[in-house]
Amino acid sequence: MCGRFVITSAPAALRQLFGYVEQPNFPPRYNVAPTQPIPVVWIENGARHFRLMRWGLLPGWVKDPKGFTLLINARSETVLEKPAFKRAIRRRRGLIPADGYYEWKMEDGRKQPFFIHRADGAPLGFAAVFETWAGPNGEELDTVAIVTAAAGEDLAALHDRVPVTISPRDFERWLDIRGDEVDAILPLMTAPRIGEFAWHPVSTRVNRVANDDDQLLLPISAGEMAAEAEAAKPKKMARKVAAGPADDGQGSLF
């Protein structure tokens, strides 16, 4: 799955790569989390556009969002059949600019976070599907989910799912929704090639959404990981025994 990601490339560089007409200016983000607004590139009237959407898709038929499970990912194997995604995959496909993402792996009984990125350091585009949810009072909310696939042999060492990433040469094919046919995009919904991505362990500071700084991307050593694991262990509180009243030999009525 993909539950946190990173956007660090300069806005001008991303605009050039994805080719949208807007000129947004936004700061780098080192710990993007579900329910937050995230950038999505999509096509309308033949032109690519940039829009912020809430990460967590809400299908149009949902009546009460409070009672609906947050859909941050859409599985490529079932995206064509699932009621929440089957219309979006045909008519509302987008790309999410990113520079990497985080994944957690169980090690020695605790979850160790890793930062995963392209081995060549280039930005990437997550395959996405989106919907505009309309509320009972006329309010509208643009929402989006990241498409995932079964991990390849290398990335499976961290997690069995990975976000689908679309190569720049295939941006147009993924975004093209002029027809309802999806045969052309099916080959794109796969895991990255072996060796295309690299990763390293990072601090558990990333676990807190409030932490959003460039230090989150730094590799940590085995010693630092051990120190974080030790610090995370519950501390045993020394049991205090209440002292009895001092006996001065005089006795007491109280």
Side-chain angles (χ1 to χ4, degrees):
M1 64 174 294
C2 179
R4 302 280 183 85
F5 69 93
V6 170
I7 312 171
T8 56
S9 290
L14 291 178
R15 180 173 184 261
Q16 181 177 9
L17 176 63
F18 288 89
Y20 43 80
V21 298
E22 291 79 10
Q23 300 185 47
N25 187 23
F26 47 88
R29 293 291 312 280
Y30 300 94
N31 199 5
V32 182
T35 74
Q36 294 179 348
I38 63 175
V40 180
V41 180
W42 57 294
I43 282 186
E44 184 178 53
N45 298 325
R48 296 184 192 178
H49 294 276
F50 174 105
R51 178 180 292 178
L52 293 178
M53 301 185 185
R54 192 199 74 160
W55 186 10
L57 186 139
L58 275 176
W61 41 262
V62 171
K63 301 300 182 184
D64 183 7
K66 294 179 181 178
F68 189 77
T69 302
L70 192 67
L71 301 176
I72 64 171
N73 294 155
R75 296 173 68 94
S76 60
E77 299 90 339
T78 57
V79 71
L80 295 177
E81 291 82 30
K82 290 287 185 180
F85 306 120
K86 64 181 183 180
R87 293 183 180 178
I89 190 62
R90 294 179 179 275
R91 304 300 301 164
R92 289 173 284 278
R93 294 191 297 271
L95 292 166
I96 297 173
D99 287 272
Y101 66 102
Y102 298 103
E103 195 54 83
W104 283 257
K105 178 184 179 182
M106 288 297 298
E107 291 190 345
D108 299 324
R110 63 188 289 268
K111 288 186 176 182
Q112 172 60 48
F114 289 79
F115 175 56
I116 305 168
H117 57 93
R118 281 185 56 92
D120 60 8
L124 49 94
F126 292 142
V129 291
F130 63 91
E131 286 281 8
T132 298
W133 178 81
N137 299 317
E139 67 272 30
E140 291 188 346
L141 181 64
D142 295 320
T143 65
V144 64
I146 296 173
V147 181
T148 67
E153 184 178 348
D154 53 352
L155 286 168
L158 299 180
H159 198 278
D160 61 353
R161 305 292 300 179
V162 294
V164 170
T165 53
I166 305 297
S167 169
R169 67 176 178 272
D170 293 317
F171 282 177
E172 191 66 23
R173 178 154 54 130
W174 176 259
L175 294 174
D176 184 3
I177 47 133
R178 286 174 293 183
D180 279 341
E181 297 302 321
V182 293
D183 292 347
I185 65 162
L186 294 181
L188 303 180
M189 292 192 291
T190 58
R193 299 185 306 274
I194 293 177
E196 187 175 353
F197 279 68
W199 58 89
H200 58 259
V202 295
S203 170
T204 52
R205 288 184 62 242
V206 75
N207 295 354
R208 295 190 66 239
V209 174
N211 294 327
D212 189 356
D213 57 77
D214 58 0
Q215 300 299 300
L216 297 179
L217 304 184
L218 297 180
I220 65 171
S221 65
E224 290 169 323
M225 282 191 285
E228 287 192 341
E230 185 64 28
K233 290 181 179 178
K235 300 295 187 293
K236 291 185 178 180
M237 300 295 292
R239 185 176 180 182
K240 294 183 178 180
V241 179
D247 185 4
D248 59 3
Q250 299 299 313
S252 174
L253 294 177
F254 307 96

